[in-house]
Amino acid sequence: MASVRYRVVVKNGQKSVEEIHKVVVHTFTVGDVEDPEIYAAEPIWKWQQSDEGKFIMENAVEKPVWQRHLDPSQYSYRYAIVAEIEKKKLSEFYLRWGKFK
């Protein structure tokens, strides 16, 4: 999942255009449990405490969101953390930690 949008920002009286990318920055799986959100809280929190998570939380345009999808082949739930981040910061993220796996 990736999409791009643009926004105009004013810095020091000069207008410039920023390219904002919406990308999946982390995924994980939770088994088939009665309340998967309770079990998803720990992996989300651990990711936020990692270097990658801290970078995204500090540099995301808006607060990242998570999405849950049912994976019937594995009898589990697949979670994805999605963030909008400016192109230069996304490049830095990829250079430091590699492209999303």
Side-chain angles (χ1 to χ4, degrees):
M1 169 188 186
S3 65
V4 179
R5 69 180 175 91
Y6 300 91
R7 71 178 180 180
V8 177
V9 293
V10 178
K11 292 180 184 176
N12 300 326
Q14 296 287 328
K15 288 185 180 180
S16 64
V17 176
E18 287 184 345
E19 189 174 307
I20 308 298
H21 291 253
K22 185 176 189 178
V23 294
V24 174
V25 293
H26 183 66
T27 63
F28 61 94
T29 302
V30 171
D32 185 22
V33 294
E34 189 170 318
D35 194 354
E37 278 80 26
I38 291 175
Y39 290 91
E42 181 183 9
I44 292 171
W45 184 82
K46 282 184 177 180
W47 173 80
Q48 287 178 321
Q49 304 312 308
S50 71
D51 290 338
E52 297 95 333
K54 288 177 182 177
F55 181 87
I56 292 294
M57 296 303 288
E58 291 170 5
N59 293 291
V61 174
E62 295 179 13
K63 185 178 175 183
V65 297
W66 56 265
Q67 299 174 352
R68 179 183 74 192
H69 304 279
L70 183 60
D71 184 357
S73 66
Q74 299 292 322
Y75 297 105
S76 62
Y77 295 96
R78 193 86 178 133
Y79 283 81
I81 299 175
V82 179
E84 285 191 321
I85 189 166
E86 199 271 326
K87 181 181 178 180
K88 291 177 186 175
K89 289 296 181 178
L90 180 60
S91 294
E92 181 181 347
F93 179 78
Y94 287 159
L95 287 170
R96 290 174 81 178
W97 294 287
K99 192 164 182 175
F100 176 73
K101 302 164 191 87

